[in-house]
Amino acid sequence: MAQFSNPELPEEINNSDDKPLRSFFALAGSALLIGVVAAAALAFFAGTVARYLPYRTEVGLIERYAERFPPRDHPVEAYLQGIADRLVKGKDGAGGMALPEGMTIRVHYVNEPVINAFATLGGHVAVFRGLLERVPDENVLAMVIAHEIAHAQHRHPIASLGRGVAFGAMLSIVSAAAGSSVVESTLGRSGMLTLLSFSRAQEEEADETGVAALVRAYEHAGGATETFKVLQRAAAERGHSEAPEFLSTHPVTQERIARLAATIDKNGWKTEGTRTPIPETVRVVMEKDAKEKPDSANKGGTKPQGRRMKDEG
Amino acid sequence: MQLILDNLDVLFFVVLFFIGYVAGRWNERRHYASIRKRERELAGVLVFSNRFPPVAAAQVDSRLVSGSVVISDDYFKDVMSGLYSLFGGRVRSYESLIDRARREAVLRMKDEANKLGAEMIINVKFQTFAIGGRNQNSVKGVELLAYGTSLAPVRR
């Protein structure tokens, strides 16, 4: 059998990877780079892109959460809704805020002592009892609501959501749990998408649109700059027992107040006028609500914890 | 501490990745050393894929011999294969796995033939089975079966 042989084959033919760790870093590095660039681009353009997302899609996103908060026959909620309608339509329907096609604003009253208000997807605005108790008159309250409606008008919630989801997607390349927790908290695990945060530019845009709507609805800008000062003062008086959530989500700076005053000045709006008081009936109902359990503490499973602001980090 | 708990999955990944790499490399290096050593020892048993024996070997004792081996994937290789599946190209991390399995199976077959006094194995065939890997947490491995007909000179 001397004419036959099995020659020794070179090793690298069938096993070519002599530096697996280097291959790993090359591949993982490029995958990470592609992911980061894609997510960063998405996050960067999320605000722009989100504005072109049909409003119907936005409503669809929040629909299953919104279903849990049907319109209630509650005097305070009706009162708040009235203010919102007045802001949107303007005084006596003279034209107020230019909402996107098909958008309706629905205000929710949340029976909790938290000083907060927020706007979320689908034109939903929530105002907390804590905030209502501390506003001196309707004009100050209207400024808060106008500001929140302005967020909805400019589609800030959907832009913020897009940015958050893009950021989560980027993170999930590195860590699945960290990424999904960001996506989850952005999408509002608790229901009402309460944690959408807006950029400073968005806050300023909402301030400007809000004060314009306030002037159109009340014929003067009284209460506009006061709103933030009032809330700041109210928070200071209460000490640190209750964190002024509104101030943490809406940081008050002197610059911001000055900017608002400048806008009023530039447009030649009246800085003061007749203030509208908050109806006594509303105050009475709120006092009664304050003695009851807050929304989040009762009604078993039917009320998700979404109306609370403090349950997530 | 909170940071560690929050990123527990990252930590798990790093640990598994490290274990996979170190243990996998160590095992592979040892296995290759053993394969090369035994390949030299069993070089006397020739392996052919021909279906019929060479004419020179007319008077032979033919037997079916086989060798099979199961070799497991490791975490590092798994991650690598995921990356290759993203970019395409040779799945280099699994090449060594298959290469080792094939050579080991042949060696076991040769060993059997050697014990039978055979000097060649003809009609050698290979079969590969993927073991596990259907769901995400199962162990991925490869079974390689080599079999053929050993030809031993007839003793008189």
Side-chain angles (χ1 to χ4, degrees), chain A residues 36-76:
Chain A
V36 166
V37 167
L42 192 63
F44 187 73
F45 293 115
T48 326
V49 172
R51 281 170 199 251
Y52 296 103
L53 198 71
Y55 179 67
R56 262 179 297 117
T57 317
E58 188 183 320
V59 173
L61 276 174
I62 191 139
E63 205 164 33
R64 64 199 174 99
Y65 301 117
E67 275 169 6
R68 300 188 209 152
F69 302 95
R72 292 185 294 179
D73 187 21
H74 192 289
V76 178

Side-chain angles (χ1 to χ4, degrees), chain A residues 1 3-6 8 11-21 23-24 27-28 30-31 34 174-178, chain B residues 7 9-10 17 21 25 32 36 45-48 54 76 79-80 83-84 86-87 90 92 95-96 99 102-103 119-120:
Chain A
M1 267 178 263
Q3 69 269 43
F4 302 115
S5 72
N6 281 161
E8 247 182 69
E11 289 283 343
E12 69 274 12
I13 291 179
N14 293 323
N15 175 17
S16 57
D17 201 7
D18 57 337
K19 289 185 179 68
L21 214 53
S23 318
F24 170 77
L27 290 174
S30 31
I34 291 169
V174 185
S175 155
Chain B
N7 295 296
D9 57 339
V10 180
F17 187 83
Y21 179 73
R25 282 292 267 185
Y32 264 126
R36 286 192 198 103
V45 183
L46 300 178
V47 176
F48 300 100
F76 176 78
V79 172
M80 285 303 288
L83 285 170
Y84 284 121
L86 202 64
F87 290 104
R90 294 171 74 169
R92 291 168 192 270
E95 279 181 348
S96 66
D99 186 46
R102 194 170 43 232
R103 287 163 81 171
E119 285 167 4
M120 66 163 68

Side-chain angles (χ1 to χ4, degrees), chain B residues 134-147:
Chain B
R134 279 193 192 83
N135 49 3
Q136 211 157 23
N137 294 324
S138 74
V139 179
K140 280 181 203 159
V142 61
E143 193 221 355
L144 218 135
L145 169 70
Y147 59 96

Side-chain angles (χ1 to χ4, degrees), chain B residues 41-54:
Chain B
E41 284 168 8
L42 290 167
V45 183
L46 300 178
V47 176
F48 300 100
S49 58
N50 305 39
R51 282 178 66 197
F52 299 104

